[in-house]
Amino acid sequence: MAGGARADSGEDRFIARFFRPVAGAPEALGLQDDAALLTPPDGTDLVLTTDALVAGVHFFPDDAPASVARKALRVNLSDLAAKGAHPLGALLTLAVPKDIPEAWMEAFADALGADATAYGCPLLGGDTVSTPGPVTLSITAFGAVPKGAFVPRTGARPGQAILVSGTIGDAALGLLLRQAPEREAFARLSDDKRAHLLDRYLHPQPRLALAPALRAHAAAAMDVSDGLVGDLAKMLAASGCGGRIEAHRVPLSAAAATAVGHDAALRVTALTGGDDYEILACVPHTAVHGFVLAAARAGVPVALIGETRTEAGLDVLDASGRPLDLGVGSYSHF
Amino acid sequence: MAGGARADSGEDRFIARFFRPVAGAPEALGLQDDAALLTPPDGTDLVLTTDALVAGVHFFPDDAPASVARKALRVNLSDLAAKGAHPLGALLTLAVPKDIPEAWMEAFADALGADATAYGCPLLGGDTVSTPGPVTLSITAFGAVPKGAFVPRTGARPGQAILVSGTIGDAALGLLLRQAPEREAFARLSDDKRAHLLDRYLHPQPRLALAPALRAHAAAAMDVSDGLVGDLAKMLAASGCGGRIEAHRVPLSAAAATAVGHDAALRVTALTGGDDYEILACVPHTAVHGFVLAAARAGVPVALIGETRTEAGLDVLDASGRPLDLGVGSYSHF
């Protein structure tokens, strides 16, 4: 080629090697264009969400790259699920050190591709750049809801039931277990129970199966990413009402219940810790039966944990009806 | 509030203070939800693009925060323009040190809001996190094209005209001027010409006005972000053809032409440097007249710089028809 112009820069080879194999959807245009092209299904609104993850802040620098990729995609899918949406696709931006090992990139891209396929959320494009800092990535995910069916965070009204999916606190306990494995309550857990908590921290399970039930029955919903109590307080405040939950109704896994049984202080961790990626929903009482049935048909357990009210604020009550002192309610970056 | 649950974390106050005032579009849902809600116009396809910027890589750590915000949004708008799209909205992810000055945040958010308004691209949401590393941000922009009217990078065919908008090389010369202000060719420039080059590096001018002309007439287009020669080589390779451009036809601003007049080596910088954010288009010869007229009506100058051909590769010829030796053709991160 005359003139020395190169059509294949190192960056292009990097993208071709690691990401083109996992971005096979036609909308991705082979990752060869400036942009991706998406035709939303007729009769739908588009739901857009984005989350950023920084090594040392949102994950451990030595976490397996496959786990980092899964978490990055799944936390966004969890947001789509909470809004009643199904995924259409995602874009990735990835900032990595120049000397990132090829094996890291390969494992990251493979896991992202596998999850994109498993969740029906094709990787449509992105941007890969170098950074002198920690690995930093963000995923923007696009979903669709039937027109007008978006489930807002602001739709709660006084006198509605408060429900939550799955079990709460596993991820926060998993994180604490990683930070303090010698803690008595953890040391007494079986290997299986320890593994369960660690896995829940690393690998969120987005509740996409719950989306149709939320659309049909919920007045408000959000996913629990920064802790059940703090996130519920946010949803109630955004809706202009308050509420009350009973701590003993909040569902715990066998592993979390055992840990809390050994060390009652861990209940606060479970209620206020982050990374659950379960769904909180406010549901009119007349719709609760339908919601629970629809959730069960979708294979997602949901539990009634409290009720909304007119008076602002959130009370968290113990089994005897007394307010629990929880300290700080949710994780915040600033 | 009993139970200690807080509805307003530091992160929420951070978002409320800096970003809510500049995210007033109804689709942004007051930045109070997990997601944004967008209803694409009927009869359109959606165009998605994302770009990441890292302090110390894509901008100088001491660049004004307003300039960083503008560049972050505008490089994405430039991608939309190249695809023939008009903007619908954008999401921001921002990773900043915990001790980022409030004045930095305020100036960043204000400039982003002003640009979002000026370009009709409302900020719909995002994610703000802390990082132990450099300021890192990414913007994902959404645009719309009439169904089927997306202008691909892969549509060039042999025997088409190659055109480029505006002037080329100003930004790369502006960057070099910042890095080596003592260089003779720069020292001899007037203050106005130096200011022009520095401004073009800091503040891309996305060619959104050219989008309708591209949709109507161009077979292929892309924006010039990594250098004219390298990016054109990419577009031709992606289209399965080659081409030839004449270096003396590549339009230079008065400032760039003066600098190149003082120091001929700077022509290579202009042709291969990055950050132009002008539009390269391949246009069938029968459509060139219409394209040039439509561009002129839109207020965007375009220049014919060469022609595509069957044979692969890209030749860059000097005024006497000899190939120029350009060395490396475009910036790459890896």
Side-chain angles (χ1 to χ4, degrees), chain B residues 236-248:
Chain B
L236 297 175
S239 296
C241 63
R244 169 192 57 75
I245 60 171
E246 294 170 57
H248 62 283

Side-chain angles (χ1 to χ4, degrees), chain A residues 40 44 147, chain B residues 38-46 86-88 143-147:
Chain A
T44 61
K147 263 189 206 301
Chain B
L38 187 67
T39 303
D42 285 341
T44 60
D45 288 327
L46 210 68
H86 70 269
L88 297 175
V145 286
K147 263 188 207 300

